[in-house]
Amino acid sequence: LSSCVAASALGCAEVRRVQRERDATGHMEVEWKDPRDARSALTAADESAQVAILTELRRQWPGLRIVGEEEEHEEDVHASALAAAAASASTGVARQRRDPRFCTAVAHSQLSAQLEDIVVYVDPVDGTREFVEGRLRNCVCLIGVALNGRATAGVIGVPFPRGDLSTEPAIVYGLVGAGAGTIGTLPRRPTPTFHKPPYTVPCGQELPRPYVASGQSTSAIMQACRTAALEQRGVGSSLVFGGAGNKVLAVAMGEVDVCVQAKFGGPWDTCGPEAIITAMGGRMTDIFGDPITVYAQSASVTTGDNMDGNTDDNTDDSAVLSRQPFATGSSGAVDSYGNALGFLATGPDSAICHDALCETLRGTPEVKRYKEKVLRAASRFGLL
């Protein structure tokens, strides 16, 4: 975990470097993996941060299996990423191990594991769309450690705690069964925008709680998830948060009571956040209350348009689920469609009961139809 914290710091530094260059030049190159999808943006920040993170982890743990969201093109990445990793390797990890804020949370853990049982998942910039659009508070750097297929440890690096370069990055970390903590200062963020219909709130007063965080999707499945969450207490507000990790971070910080997303990109989106929220005493499952099942040592994630579940009843099954393999270097592939079943997270002090909400969702017609569609597609691809 200390290696992941140090690697996250390097990743955050690279993201901030790219932002400084953008501020200085007023320009940043953006590549679109899918021209139809605003969430498919790829920038120099994604590439250089991933190289910095992977270089650090591989130096500390030769043979470690790492799955990054982005393809590796190290020869095209700014040389400072590699230089920074090499320069800090001898001091960065040791510094984190000596840091009492880090040691307090994990010092009593007796967890040990064989290297071959571990897979590390990396999303160098979770919230690239938000980064491109300048909504920097939504951008985080995610590193998750899966042990035997379960999210066990995680790091969320926050490059822009105040939404700009005015403050140093903060890092939130957690180890299941041991605890969690923060390195740096993570100020409470202002309440973001909320979904329509708008609430009439007197000036200076907050929106009514509990808060439900989700993306911008207006699909039937997501509308049903928000409605079910708000009906748990008969009052509340539906808020827009960008990025999968940023949503879970908001739950972990107590900024919102629950976050929900009907579909996510892959294990790099959820492994770290799930481990952290679990270490804090919260819960994170798929939207039906079952464990998230995308952390196998070798697996396929299911992709398609609209990772936020922006599909409707007229959408063909193939648009809900299409198979996209990713390799971790182990044999005996285990396929998964779990990312198409989304995620739901609640904090230890959430005003919404996790199990009760999942039970409500399982009985909601739109949610039931969505699961049936996912299972039909999974059967078509031979995943059942």
Coordinates of all heavy atoms in Angstrom, one line a residue, residues 235-300:
V235 N -37.4 12.3 1.1 CA -36.9 13.6 0.9 C -35.4 13.5 0.5 O -34.8 12.4 0.8 CB -37.0 14.5 2.2 CG1 -36.1 14.0 3.3 CG2 -36.7 16.0 1.8
G236 N -34.9 14.5 -0.1 CA -33.4 14.4 -0.5 C -33.2 15.2 -1.8 O -34.1 15.8 -2.4
S237 N -31.9 15.1 -2.2 CA -31.5 15.8 -3.4 C -30.6 14.9 -4.3 O -29.8 14.2 -3.7 CB -30.7 17.1 -3.0 OG -31.5 17.9 -2.2
S238 N -30.8 15.0 -5.6 CA -30.1 14.2 -6.5 C -29.0 15.2 -7.1 O -29.3 16.1 -7.8 CB -31.0 13.7 -7.6 OG -30.2 13.0 -8.6
L239 N -27.7 14.8 -6.9 CA -26.6 15.7 -7.3 C -25.8 15.1 -8.4 O -25.7 13.9 -8.4 CB -25.7 16.0 -6.1 CG -26.4 16.5 -4.8 CD1 -25.4 16.8 -3.7 CD2 -27.2 17.8 -5.1
V240 N -25.2 15.9 -9.2 CA -24.3 15.5 -10.3 C -22.9 15.5 -9.9 O -22.3 16.5 -9.5 CB -24.5 16.4 -11.5 CG1 -23.6 15.9 -12.7 CG2 -26.0 16.3 -12.0
F241 N -22.2 14.3 -9.9 CA -20.8 14.2 -9.7 C -20.2 13.5 -10.9 O -20.7 12.4 -11.3 CB -20.5 13.4 -8.4 CG -20.6 14.1 -7.1 CD1 -21.8 14.5 -6.6 CD2 -19.4 14.5 -6.5 CE1 -21.9 15.2 -5.4 CE2 -19.5 15.2 -5.3 CZ -20.7 15.6 -4.7
G242 N -19.1 14.0 -11.4 CA -18.4 13.4 -12.5 C -17.4 12.4 -12.0 O -16.8 12.6 -10.9
G243 N -17.1 11.3 -12.8 CA -16.1 10.3 -12.4 C -16.6 9.3 -11.4 O -17.2 9.7 -10.4
A244 N -16.3 8.0 -11.7 CA -16.7 7.0 -10.8 C -16.0 7.1 -9.4 O -16.6 7.1 -8.3 CB -16.4 5.6 -11.4
G245 N -14.7 7.3 -9.4 CA -13.9 7.4 -8.2 C -14.3 8.6 -7.4 O -14.4 8.6 -6.1
N246 N -14.6 9.7 -8.1 CA -15.0 11.0 -7.4 C -16.4 10.8 -6.7 O -16.6 11.4 -5.6 CB -15.1 12.1 -8.4 CG -15.4 13.4 -7.8 OD1 -14.8 13.9 -6.9 ND2 -16.5 14.1 -8.3
K247 N -17.3 10.0 -7.3 CA -18.5 9.8 -6.6 C -18.3 9.0 -5.3 O -18.9 9.4 -4.2 CB -19.4 8.9 -7.5 CG -19.9 9.6 -8.8 CD -20.8 8.7 -9.6 CE -21.3 9.3 -10.9 NZ -20.3 9.4 -11.9
V248 N -17.5 8.0 -5.3 CA -17.2 7.2 -4.1 C -16.5 8.0 -3.1 O -16.7 7.9 -1.9 CB -16.5 5.9 -4.5 CG1 -16.3 5.1 -3.2 CG2 -17.3 5.1 -5.5
L249 N -15.5 8.9 -3.6 CA -14.8 9.8 -2.7 C -15.8 10.7 -1.9 O -15.6 10.9 -0.7 CB -13.8 10.6 -3.4 CG -13.0 11.6 -2.6 CD1 -12.2 10.9 -1.6 CD2 -12.1 12.4 -3.6
A250 N -16.8 11.2 -2.6 CA -17.8 12.0 -2.0 C -18.5 11.3 -0.9 O -18.8 11.9 0.2 CB -18.8 12.5 -3.0
V251 N -18.8 10.0 -1.1 CA -19.5 9.2 0.0 C -18.5 9.0 1.1 O -18.9 9.2 2.3 CB -19.9 7.8 -0.6 CG1 -20.4 6.9 0.5 CG2 -20.9 8.0 -1.7
A252 N -17.2 8.7 0.8 CA -16.2 8.5 1.9 C -16.0 9.7 2.7 O -15.8 9.6 3.9 CB -14.9 8.1 1.2
M253 N -16.1 10.9 2.1 CA -15.9 12.2 2.9 C -17.2 12.6 3.6 O -17.2 13.6 4.3 CB -15.5 13.2 1.9 CG -14.1 13.0 1.3 SD -13.7 14.3 0.1 CE -13.7 15.8 1.1
G254 N -18.3 11.9 3.4 CA -19.6 12.3 4.0 C -20.2 13.5 3.3 O -21.2 14.0 3.8
E255 N -19.8 13.8 2.1 CA -20.4 14.9 1.3 C -21.8 14.4 0.8 O -22.7 15.3 0.6 CB -19.5 15.3 0.2 CG -18.2 15.9 0.6 CD -17.3 16.3 -0.6 OE1 -17.5 15.6 -1.6 OE2 -16.5 17.1 -0.4
V256 N -21.9 13.1 0.5 CA -23.2 12.6 0.0 C -23.5 11.3 0.8 O -22.5 10.7 1.4 CB -23.2 12.3 -1.5 CG1 -22.9 13.6 -2.3 CG2 -22.2 11.2 -1.9
D257 N -24.7 10.8 0.7 CA -25.1 9.6 1.5 C -24.9 8.4 0.7 O -24.7 7.3 1.2 CB -26.5 9.8 2.0 CG -26.6 10.9 3.0 OD1 -26.4 10.7 4.2 OD2 -27.0 12.0 2.6
V258 N -25.1 8.5 -0.6 CA -25.1 7.3 -1.5 C -24.7 7.8 -2.9 O -25.0 8.9 -3.3 CB -26.4 6.6 -1.5 CG1 -27.5 7.5 -2.1 CG2 -26.4 5.3 -2.4
C259 N -23.9 6.9 -3.6 CA -23.7 7.2 -5.0 C -24.1 5.9 -5.8 O -24.0 4.8 -5.3 CB -22.2 7.6 -5.3 SG -21.0 6.2 -5.1
V260 N -24.5 6.1 -7.0 CA -25.0 5.0 -7.8 C -24.6 5.2 -9.3 O -24.7 6.4 -9.8 CB -26.5 4.8 -7.6 CG1 -27.3 6.1 -8.1 CG2 -27.0 3.6 -8.4
Q261 N -24.2 4.2 -9.9 CA -23.9 4.2 -11.3 C -24.3 2.9 -11.9 O -23.9 1.8 -11.4 CB -22.4 4.5 -11.6 CG -22.0 4.8 -13.0 CD -20.7 5.4 -13.1 OE1 -20.4 6.4 -12.4 NE2 -19.9 4.9 -14.0
A262 N -25.1 2.9 -13.0 CA -25.6 1.7 -13.6 C -24.6 0.9 -14.4 O -24.8 -0.3 -14.6 CB -26.9 2.0 -14.4
K263 N -23.5 1.5 -14.8 CA -22.5 0.8 -15.5 C -21.2 1.6 -15.4 O -21.2 2.8 -15.3 CB -22.9 0.8 -17.0 CG -22.1 -0.2 -17.9 CD -22.8 -0.3 -19.3 CE -22.1 -1.3 -20.2 NZ -22.7 -1.4 -21.5
F264 N -20.1 0.8 -15.4 CA -18.8 1.5 -15.3 C -17.8 0.8 -16.2 O -18.0 -0.2 -16.7 CB -18.3 1.5 -13.8 CG -18.1 0.1 -13.2 CD1 -16.9 -0.5 -13.3 CD2 -19.1 -0.5 -12.5 CE1 -16.7 -1.8 -12.7 CE2 -19.0 -1.7 -11.9 CZ -17.7 -2.4 -12.0
G265 N -16.7 1.5 -16.4 CA -15.7 1.1 -17.4 C -15.0 -0.2 -17.2 O -14.8 -1.0 -18.0
G266 N -14.5 -0.4 -16.0 CA -13.7 -1.6 -15.7 C -13.2 -1.6 -14.2 O -13.5 -0.6 -13.5
P267 N -12.5 -2.6 -13.8 CA -12.0 -2.7 -12.4 C -11.2 -1.6 -12.0 O -11.1 -1.3 -10.8 CB -11.3 -4.0 -12.4 CG -10.9 -4.3 -13.8 CD -12.0 -3.7 -14.7
W268 N -10.5 -0.9 -12.9 CA -9.7 0.3 -12.5 C -10.5 1.4 -12.0 O -10.0 2.3 -11.2 CB -8.9 0.8 -13.7 CG -9.7 0.8 -15.0 CD1 -10.6 1.8 -15.4 CD2 -9.8 -0.2 -16.0 NE1 -11.2 1.4 -16.6 CE2 -10.7 0.2 -17.0 CE3 -9.1 -1.4 -16.2 CZ2 -11.0 -0.5 -18.1 CZ3 -9.4 -2.1 -17.3 CH2 -10.3 -1.7 -18.3
D269 N -11.8 1.4 -12.3 CA -12.8 2.4 -11.8 C -13.2 2.2 -10.3 O -13.5 3.1 -9.6 CB -14.0 2.5 -12.6 CG -13.8 3.2 -14.0 OD1 -13.0 4.1 -14.1 OD2 -14.4 2.7 -15.0
T270 N -13.2 0.9 -9.9 CA -13.9 0.6 -8.7 C -13.0 -0.1 -7.6 O -13.4 0.0 -6.4 CB -15.1 -0.3 -8.9 OG1 -14.6 -1.5 -9.7 CG2 -16.2 0.4 -9.7
C271 N -11.9 -0.7 -8.0 CA -11.1 -1.5 -7.1 C -10.6 -0.6 -5.9 O -10.9 -1.0 -4.7 CB -10.0 -2.2 -7.8 SG -9.1 -3.3 -6.7
G272 N -9.9 0.5 -6.2 CA -9.4 1.3 -5.2 C -10.5 1.9 -4.3 O -10.5 1.9 -3.1
P273 N -11.5 2.6 -5.0 CA -12.6 3.2 -4.2 C -13.4 2.2 -3.3 O -13.7 2.5 -2.2 CB -13.5 3.8 -5.3 CG -12.6 4.1 -6.4 CD -11.6 3.0 -6.4
E274 N -13.6 1.0 -3.9 CA -14.3 0.0 -3.0 C -13.5 -0.4 -1.8 O -14.1 -0.5 -0.7 CB -14.6 -1.3 -3.9 CG -15.3 -2.4 -3.0 CD -15.6 -3.6 -3.8 OE1 -15.4 -3.7 -5.0 OE2 -16.1 -4.6 -3.1
A275 N -12.2 -0.6 -2.0 CA -11.4 -1.0 -0.8 C -11.4 0.2 0.2 O -11.5 -0.1 1.4 CB -9.9 -1.2 -1.3
I276 N -11.3 1.4 -0.2 CA -11.3 2.5 0.7 C -12.6 2.7 1.5 O -12.6 2.8 2.7 CB -11.0 3.8 0.0 CG1 -9.5 3.8 -0.5 CG2 -11.2 5.0 0.9 CD1 -9.1 4.9 -1.4
I277 N -13.7 2.6 0.8 CA -15.0 2.8 1.4 C -15.3 1.6 2.4 O -15.9 1.8 3.5 CB -16.2 3.0 0.4 CG1 -17.4 3.6 1.1 CG2 -16.5 1.7 -0.3 CD1 -17.3 5.0 1.4
T278 N -14.8 0.4 2.0 CA -15.0 -0.7 2.9 C -14.1 -0.6 4.1 O -14.6 -0.9 5.3 CB -14.6 -2.0 2.2 OG1 -15.4 -2.2 1.0 CG2 -14.8 -3.2 3.0
A279 N -12.9 -0.1 4.0 CA -12.0 0.1 5.1 C -12.5 1.1 6.1 O -12.2 1.1 7.3 CB -10.6 0.5 4.6
M280 N -13.3 2.0 5.6 CA -13.9 3.1 6.4 C -15.2 2.6 7.1 O -15.8 3.4 7.9 CB -14.3 4.3 5.5 CG -13.0 5.1 5.1 SD -13.5 6.5 4.1 CE -11.9 7.4 4.0
G281 N -15.6 1.4 6.8 CA -16.9 0.9 7.4 C -18.1 1.1 6.6 O -19.2 0.8 7.0
G282 N -17.9 1.5 5.3 CA -19.1 1.6 4.4 C -19.3 0.4 3.6 O -18.7 -0.7 3.8
R283 N -20.1 0.5 2.6 CA -20.5 -0.7 1.7 C -20.4 -0.2 0.3 O -20.7 0.9 -0.1 CB -21.9 -1.1 2.0 CG -22.2 -1.7 3.4 CD -21.9 -3.2 3.5 NE -22.6 -4.0 2.5 CZ -23.8 -4.3 2.5 NH1 -24.6 -3.9 3.5 NH2 -24.4 -5.1 1.5
M284 N -20.0 -1.2 -0.6 CA -20.0 -1.0 -2.0 C -20.3 -2.3 -2.7 O -19.6 -3.3 -2.5 CB -18.7 -0.4 -2.5 CG -18.7 0.0 -4.0 SD -17.3 1.2 -4.4 CE -17.4 1.1 -6.2
T285 N -21.4 -2.3 -3.5 CA -21.8 -3.5 -4.2 C -22.2 -3.1 -5.6 O -22.1 -2.0 -5.9 CB -23.0 -4.2 -3.4 OG1 -24.1 -3.3 -3.5 CG2 -22.7 -4.5 -2.0
D286 N -22.7 -4.1 -6.3 CA -23.4 -3.7 -7.6 C -24.8 -3.2 -7.2 O -25.2 -3.2 -6.0 CB -23.5 -4.9 -8.6 CG -24.4 -6.0 -8.2 OD1 -25.3 -5.9 -7.3 OD2 -24.2 -7.1 -8.7
I287 N -25.6 -2.7 -8.1 CA -26.8 -2.0 -7.8 C -27.9 -3.0 -7.3 O -28.9 -2.6 -6.8 CB -27.4 -1.2 -9.0 CG1 -27.7 -2.1 -10.2 CG2 -26.4 -0.1 -9.3 CD1 -28.4 -1.4 -11.3
F288 N -27.6 -4.3 -7.3 CA -28.5 -5.3 -6.9 C -28.1 -5.9 -5.5 O -28.8 -6.8 -5.0 CB -28.6 -6.5 -7.9 CG -29.0 -6.0 -9.2 CD1 -28.1 -5.7 -10.2 CD2 -30.4 -5.8 -9.5 CE1 -28.5 -5.2 -11.4 CE2 -30.8 -5.4 -10.8 CZ -29.8 -5.1 -11.7
G289 N -27.0 -5.3 -4.9 CA -26.6 -5.7 -3.6 C -25.6 -6.9 -3.6 O -25.2 -7.4 -2.5
D290 N -25.2 -7.3 -4.8 CA -24.2 -8.4 -4.8 C -22.8 -7.9 -5.0 O -22.6 -6.8 -5.4 CB -24.5 -9.3 -6.0 CG -25.9 -10.0 -5.9 OD1 -26.2 -10.4 -4.8 OD2 -26.6 -10.0 -6.9
P291 N -21.8 -8.7 -4.6 CA -20.4 -8.3 -4.7 C -20.0 -7.9 -6.1 O -20.5 -8.5 -7.1 CB -19.6 -9.5 -4.2 CG -20.5 -10.3 -3.4 CD -21.9 -10.1 -4.0
I292 N -19.2 -6.9 -6.3 CA -18.6 -6.6 -7.6 C -17.6 -7.6 -8.0 O -16.8 -8.0 -7.3 CB -18.0 -5.2 -7.5 CG1 -19.1 -4.1 -7.2 CG2 -17.3 -4.8 -8.9 CD1 -18.5 -2.7 -7.0
T293 N -17.8 -8.1 -9.3 CA -17.1 -9.3 -9.7 C -16.1 -9.1 -10.9 O -16.1 -10.0 -11.7 CB -18.1 -10.4 -10.0 OG1 -18.9 -10.0 -11.1 CG2 -18.9 -10.8 -8.8
V294 N -15.4 -8.0 -10.9 CA -14.6 -7.8 -12.0 C -13.1 -7.8 -11.7 O -12.3 -7.4 -12.5 CB -14.9 -6.4 -12.6 CG1 -16.3 -6.4 -13.2 CG2 -14.7 -5.3 -11.6
Y295 N -12.7 -8.4 -10.6 CA -11.3 -8.3 -10.1 C -10.6 -9.7 -10.3 O -9.6 -9.9 -9.6 CB -11.2 -7.9 -8.7 CG -12.0 -6.6 -8.3 CD1 -12.9 -6.6 -7.3 CD2 -11.9 -5.5 -9.1 CE1 -13.6 -5.5 -7.0 CE2 -12.6 -4.3 -8.8 CZ -13.5 -4.4 -7.8 OH -14.2 -3.2 -7.5
A296 N -11.1 -10.5 -11.1 CA -10.4 -11.8 -11.4 C -9.0 -11.6 -12.0 O -8.8 -10.5 -12.6 CB -11.2 -12.7 -12.3
Q297 N -8.1 -12.5 -11.7 CA -6.7 -12.3 -12.2 C -6.6 -12.2 -13.7 O -5.7 -11.6 -14.2 CB -5.9 -13.4 -11.7 CG -5.7 -13.3 -10.1 CD -4.7 -14.4 -9.6 OE1 -4.1 -15.1 -10.4 NE2 -4.5 -14.4 -8.4
S298 N -7.6 -12.8 -14.4 CA -7.6 -12.6 -15.9 C -9.1 -12.6 -16.2 O -9.8 -13.5 -15.9 CB -6.9 -13.7 -16.6 OG -7.0 -13.5 -18.0
A299 N -9.5 -11.5 -16.9 CA -11.0 -11.4 -17.1 C -11.2 -10.5 -18.3 O -10.3 -10.0 -18.9 CB -11.6 -10.7 -15.8
S300 N -12.5 -10.4 -18.7 CA -12.9 -9.5 -19.7 C -13.9 -8.6 -19.1 O -14.8 -9.0 -18.3 CB -13.6 -10.3 -20.9 OG -12.7 -11.1 -21.5

